């Protein structure tokens, strides 16, 4: 009963998942219904930066489809319906089958180093028809090593990886390399899903040729740029990098199948890389320091220029041709001249023109240039300075 509940829960969850991704499924169904073969490789989906702004806003309905249990193995399930095995045609499968009669699709593979390309292939197989029960066959180590080569993961690890894929409803362990009618009837398989590239192996040009001739083949697409061989190639190509990586994490050279010399070489390379990183960090910090100094020096120069302009402006305002100091000197000179100049005569006094002209003589010390020596006039007894005729008249009046 426990396994039956797990199967029902798995089937319902996968149906919900396909309903949530209704848009991609509709396109896939349209392609499969057209009867045309799909391309050999499935192009990688564009990243977030490659998606246009208009497409980025397209959302799918929010739903919870997470599974709580892995997919069960075929030998752990209860026997299927005892009715005779009758396949579903392609037309009936596309139209949709009853809930209690899902279309049983089989997909097999090695699934070594399980990656997104495997998951996408199983997703396509799951979404071929509206009501699909996906059975996944995983080949054993013996068959794989015989026909394809050595694997990174052993068969138990590969079985377990496939059971935890959300699109899988059932897993068949020790799957056959070539599908026989007995195997198809035992698992009541309606269609076989795989990419349409001819798979030559085990003395055959295409191990799926008889499946295609029987009309049971449903093609899927490969994901470009990701495969188990590509991943292994990356590791082999950058072996030294990954060997040093694992040595840093505590693995020994013996565990990495490396020699003592290689271990010392990797350790030396790691030390050299550390020194390079430190030098690079010092260079970056020095560049940042120089940049900060340049910014501060530029700020200081700008402030110095502003202060110098302000100082020059203040100096010119004070000592320039039209500066405040010149105005102060002019004003002081005017006040001095006003202070030493004689007062104006009263208004009722006779003016200088009305008075009788009388010759005046300036004292010698009032002249700008000293006069040449000349004989004194007859009034030489007047204490060394000249007196006008008006002054003589005044003196005569005083004597009288």
């Amino acid at each position: 009963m426990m396994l039956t509940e797990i199967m029902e829960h798995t089937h319902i969850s996968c149906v919900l998942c396909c309903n949530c991704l209704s848009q991609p499924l509709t396109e896939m169904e349209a392609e499969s219904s057209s009867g045309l073969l799909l391309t050999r490789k499935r192009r990688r989906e564009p990243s977030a930066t490659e998606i246009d702004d208009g497409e980025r806003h397209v959302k799918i309905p929010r739903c919870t489809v997470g599974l709580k249990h892995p997919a069960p193995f075929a030998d752990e399930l209860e026997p299927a319906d005892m009715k005779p095995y009758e396949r579903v045609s392609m037309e009936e499968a596309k139209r949709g089958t009853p809930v209690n009669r899902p279309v049983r699709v089989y997909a097999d593979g090695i699934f070594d180093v399980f990656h997104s390309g495997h998951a996408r292939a199983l997703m396509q197989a799951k979404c071929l028809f509206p009501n699909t029960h996906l059975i996944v066959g995983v080949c054993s180590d013996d068959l794989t090593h015989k026909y394809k080569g050595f694997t990174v993961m052993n068969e138990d690890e590969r079985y377990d990886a496939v059971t935890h894929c959300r699109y899988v409803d059932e897993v068949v362990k020790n799957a056959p390399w070539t599908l026989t009618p007995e195997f198809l009837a035992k698992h009541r398989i309606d269609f076989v899903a795989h990419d349409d590239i001819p798979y030559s192996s085990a003395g055959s040009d295409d191990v799926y040729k008889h499946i295609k001739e029987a009309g049971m083949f449903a093609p899927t697409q490969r994901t470009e740029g990701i495969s188990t061989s590509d991943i292994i190639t990356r590791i082999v190509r950058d072996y030294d990098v990954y060997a040093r990586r694992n040595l840093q994490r505590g693995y020994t050279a013996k565990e990495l199948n490396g020699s003592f010399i290689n271990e010392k070489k990797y350790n030396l390379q790691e030390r050299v890389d550390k020194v390079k990183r430190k030098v690079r960090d010092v260079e970056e910090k020095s560049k940042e320091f120089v940049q900060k100094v340049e910014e501060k020096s530029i700020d200081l120069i700008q402030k110095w220029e502003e202060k110098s302009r302000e100082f020059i402006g203040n100096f010119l305002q004070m000592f320039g041709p039209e500066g405040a100091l010149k105005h102060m000197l002019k004003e002081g000179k005017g006040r001095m001249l006003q202070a030493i100049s004689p007062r104006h005569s009263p208004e009722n006094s006779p003016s200088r023109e009305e008075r009788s002209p009388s010759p005046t003589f300036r004292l010698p010390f009032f002249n700008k240039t000293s006069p040449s020596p000349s004989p004194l006039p007859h009034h030489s007894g007047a204490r060394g300075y000249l007196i006008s005729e008006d002054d003589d008249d005044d003196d005569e009046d005083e004597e009288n």
Side-chain angles (χ1 to χ4, degrees):
M1 290 298 294
M2 183 63 183
L3 293 176
T4 305
E5 293 177 357
I6 293 174
M7 277 295 298
E8 293 177 354
H9 177 75
T10 305
H11 173 68
I12 294 172
S13 301
C14 292
V15 171
L16 288 174
C17 174
C18 292
N19 292 334
C20 293
L21 301 174
S22 58
Q23 183 64 25
L25 299 186
T26 304
E27 295 177 358
M28 187 175 296
E29 290 172 5
E31 292 177 357
S32 62
S33 63
S34 62
L36 299 176
L37 291 178
L38 301 175
T39 57
R40 292 178 177 268
K41 285 192 176 183
R42 184 178 185 273
R43 293 184 178 181
R44 180 180 60 85
E45 292 187 357
S47 59
T49 56
E50 298 173 354
I51 301 176
D52 297 335
D53 293 336
E55 297 179 356
R56 189 175 299 172
H57 296 291
V58 177
K59 306 289 185 182
I60 61 175
R62 186 184 298 274
C63 58
T64 303
V65 294
L67 306 180
K68 296 182 180 180
H69 304 283
F73 294 105
D75 54 4
E76 297 175 350
L77 296 175
E78 294 179 351
D81 191 3
M82 300 308 296
K83 293 181 180 180
Y85 167 59
E86 294 182 0
R87 285 189 54 248
V88 177
S89 65
M90 182 68 72
E91 292 75 13
E92 293 175 346
K94 291 178 181 178
R95 286 197 303 265
T97 57
V99 177
N100 57 355
R101 178 56 175 95
V103 180
R104 296 175 67 84
V105 177
Y106 177 81
D108 58 356
I110 310 301
F111 302 105
D112 189 22
V113 190
F114 193 88
H115 51 75
S116 62
H118 295 142
R120 290 180 181 276
L122 298 178
M123 179 187 70
Q124 294 177 66
K126 177 68 177 178
C127 300
L128 284 172
F129 308 107
N131 185 15
T132 303
H133 181 85
L134 180 60
I135 307 168
V136 180
V138 183
C139 298
S140 63
D141 287 345
D142 293 337
L143 281 178
T144 305
H145 297 168
K146 179 180 179 181
Y147 293 110
K148 192 168 185 178
F150 193 75
T151 58
V152 177
M153 302 167 62
N154 59 42
E155 59 183 22
D156 294 329
E157 294 171 340
R158 293 186 284 113
Y159 297 156
D160 188 63
V162 174
T163 58
H164 288 84
C165 180
R166 65 188 301 177
Y167 310 110
V168 179
D169 298 312
E170 182 180 341
V171 177
V172 177
K173 295 189 292 185
N174 193 16
W177 198 261
T178 303
L179 301 179
T180 61
E182 293 77 16
F183 179 84
L184 297 175
K186 176 182 177 181
H187 295 280
R188 297 175 173 269
I189 296 172
D190 296 317
F191 297 96
V192 177
H194 199 273
D195 61 85
D196 59 346
I197 301 176
Y199 196 87
S200 58
S201 179
S204 174
D205 295 335
D206 188 2
V207 296
Y208 297 102
K209 181 178 180 181
H210 63 289
I211 302 295
K212 296 176 181 178
E213 293 174 352
M216 298 177 61
F217 189 78
T220 58
Q221 296 174 332
R222 295 177 64 89
T223 301
E224 185 180 0
I226 182 69
S227 68
T228 302
S229 299
D230 292 338
I231 295 174
I232 296 175
T233 302
R234 297 177 199 173
I235 298 173
V236 173
R237 181 185 58 200
D238 300 327
Y239 171 78
D240 290 347
V241 176
Y242 294 110
R244 290 165 53 186
R245 171 185 178 274
N246 283 5
L247 286 174
Q248 293 175 9
R249 283 158 176 76
Y251 289 89
T252 62
K254 184 177 181 180
E255 292 174 331
L256 298 176
N257 196 23
S259 63
F260 176 80
I261 297 175
N262 286 337
E263 181 181 8
K264 297 303 178 183
K265 181 184 72 172
Y266 296 146
N267 291 333
L268 179 60
Q269 289 176 351
E270 183 62 26
R271 292 178 184 176
V272 172
D273 289 344
K274 285 183 179 180
V275 173
K276 289 181 179 179
R277 285 194 293 268
K278 288 182 179 179
V279 172
R280 194 181 303 112
D281 294 341
V282 171
E283 289 179 354
E284 292 178 356
K285 291 180 180 179
S286 61
K287 288 180 181 179
E288 293 177 358
F289 177 75
V290 171
Q291 186 177 1
K292 290 180 180 179
V293 170
E294 289 179 355
E295 292 176 355
K296 289 184 178 180
S297 61
I298 292 172
D299 294 339
L300 290 174
I301 291 172
Q302 291 178 351
K303 291 180 180 179
W304 182 81
E305 289 178 352
E306 293 176 359
K307 292 294 182 181
S308 62
R309 291 193 191 98
E310 184 179 356
F311 176 77
I312 293 171
N314 294 336
F315 182 84
L316 293 177
Q317 288 180 0
M318 178 61 70
F319 301 102
E322 301 296 332
L325 182 61
K326 183 176 181 180
H327 291 291
M328 291 172 60
L329 293 175
K330 284 183 178 180
E331 186 178 356
K333 183 178 179 181
R335 290 180 180 178
M336 287 177 62
L337 293 175
Q338 184 178 2
I340 64 175
S341 63
R343 296 180 180 179
H344 296 286
S345 302
E347 294 180 358
N348 54 1
S349 61
S351 62
R352 185 179 182 86
E353 297 176 355
E354 295 177 354
R355 296 175 60 184
S356 59
S358 58
T360 58
F361 301 95
R362 294 183 179 274
L363 297 177
F365 55 83
F366 280 105
N367 294 333
K368 294 182 179 179
T369 59
S370 58
S372 59
S374 59
L376 294 174
H378 63 279
H379 299 290
S380 58
R383 295 180 294 178
Y385 55 86
L386 300 178
I387 303 173
S388 63
E389 295 178 357
D390 294 336
D391 294 336
D392 294 341
D393 294 339
D394 293 336
D395 293 338
E396 289 178 0
D397 292 336
E398 289 176 0
E399 289 177 359
N400 292 330

